[in-house]
Amino acid sequence: MNAAIPSNSPEGRPCPLCGEPKPAHFISHQGHELFRCRDCGLVYLDPAPTNADIAQMYDDPYSGATESYFTKVEKKMRRSRIRARRMARMMAGGAAGKSFLDVGANGGFMAEAAREAGFRATGVEPDGPAVDYARRHYPANDFVRGTIEEADLGGRRFDAVYCSEVIEHAPDCNRFVAALARVMRPQGLLYLTTPDISHWRVPRDLGRWDAFCPPAHCLFFSPGNLARLLDRHGFKVVRKLIAIKPGIKILARRVESGG
């Protein structure tokens, strides 16, 4: 990911989604300043994380793939299988022979669930130990180290892309979604999730919300501005899933750019 240029202005940098130049100050949190766009409502961190910051955050965040995220594997696989089957049902003719990409593959759970559902599965993940874990445990899939913006996928385009809890880490959300669009076939299916700062269950004290963790999470979307971002890069939202916890879960098709 290429971070946007950090702002030196007390008024905040322009909105990274729509470019509105004069955001409103939103909150100061543990030494970080966040702003809300007056146009689209995106909440974002300023200054944005730099490339060096991002590299450090992705440098073995799971402690050699031995802690937190890589526990409760069966629970993760159950959830992944439910989502993979949902995506398979939405593929014309089913998943057999269709290509699948998990963006932010972590330990490879969703890629493996997609393979079980009939897809040919690939995962892209910037954390080296996580990629090693995935390759050891799920060797029938292809795992590539890197971010979606920069990883070498050999020019491949995919019929289905899964991107869960990743976009909130990307300071340049337009570049991120453009990269998703670039690797998808026409009418390809995107399953995307991210925290929802507009959700009714977000606590009034944001410090009590586990998804509010700048600088790791530097963008906070609502369903409306996320749909606006996707439309700009040629996606049409076709289904919004109910989220009991404060999150956005959507399925979108890759279509012509909405401009």
Side-chain angles (χ1 to χ4, degrees), residues 204-220:
R204 188 176 298 272
D205 176 4
L206 287 174
R208 296 176 50 236
W209 184 28
D210 59 359
F212 192 75
C213 51
H217 291 182
C218 59
L219 300 177
F220 297 89

Side-chain angles (χ1 to χ4, degrees), residues 163-218:
C163 180
S164 183
E165 311 302 298
V166 179
I167 192 172
E168 63 272 15
H169 297 270
D172 190 340
C173 54
N174 280 288
R175 183 170 181 249
F176 182 87
V177 177
L180 294 179
R182 188 170 58 249
V183 300
M184 293 186 68
R185 296 183 187 278
Q187 294 301 311
L189 180 67
L190 172 67
Y191 190 132
L192 189 147
T193 80
T194 190
D196 179 2
I197 199 165
S198 68
H199 194 281
W200 65 274
R201 291 191 67 186
V202 171
R204 188 176 298 272
D205 176 4
L206 287 174
R208 296 176 50 236
W209 184 28
D210 59 359
F212 192 75
C213 51
H217 291 182
C218 59

Side-chain angles (χ1 to χ4, degrees), residues 53-244:
D53 294 333
I54 293 167
Q56 184 175 14
M57 282 187 275
Y58 283 131
D59 183 15
D60 194 13
Y62 307 115
S63 301
T66 60
E67 297 181 11
S68 64
Y69 191 84
F70 296 96
T71 61
K72 301 181 181 178
V73 169
E74 283 307 311
K75 180 179 179 180
K76 292 177 172 61
M77 287 302 305
R78 282 195 297 273
R79 182 183 67 179
S80 296
R81 287 173 179 130
I82 291 170
R83 294 184 174 186
R85 287 195 293 268
R86 181 189 295 273
M87 295 182 74
R89 289 194 298 269
M90 294 184 70
M91 305 303 296
K98 302 292 197 312
S99 55
F100 179 99
L101 178 66
D102 182 7
V103 177
N106 298 119
F109 312 115
M110 187 65 188
E112 176 64 8
R115 185 194 65 80
E116 292 176 356
F119 290 100
R120 292 181 286 106
T122 299
V124 59
E125 164 61 46
D127 175 47
V131 171
D132 291 342
Y133 179 100
R135 287 171 175 165
R136 289 197 310 273
H137 289 82
Y138 308 115
N141 307 300
D142 179 27
F143 294 99
V144 178
R145 184 176 181 183
T147 64
I148 187 60
E149 299 95 328
E150 299 176 355
D152 182 4
L153 294 170
R156 286 177 288 172
R157 301 180 76 189
F158 297 85
D159 300 294
V161 171
Y162 178 78
C163 180
S164 183
E165 311 302 298
V166 179
I167 192 172
E168 63 272 15
H169 297 270
D172 190 340
C173 54
N174 280 288
R175 183 170 181 249
F176 182 87
V177 177
L180 294 179
R182 188 170 58 249
V183 300
M184 293 186 68
R185 296 183 187 278
Q187 294 301 311
L189 180 67
L190 172 67
Y191 190 132
L192 189 147
T193 80
T194 190
D196 179 2
I197 199 165
S198 68
H199 194 281
W200 65 274
R201 291 191 67 186
V202 171
R204 188 176 298 272
D205 176 4
L206 287 174
R208 296 176 50 236
W209 184 28
D210 59 359
F212 192 75
C213 51
H217 291 182
C218 59
L219 300 177
F220 297 89
F221 294 90
S222 66
N225 56 40
L226 183 58
R228 178 174 173 176
L229 173 65
L230 291 171
D231 178 75
R232 174 178 293 176
H233 294 280
F235 290 95
K236 179 181 179 181
V237 175
V238 295
R239 189 174 300 177
K240 297 178 182 178
L241 306 176
I242 295 173
I244 303 303

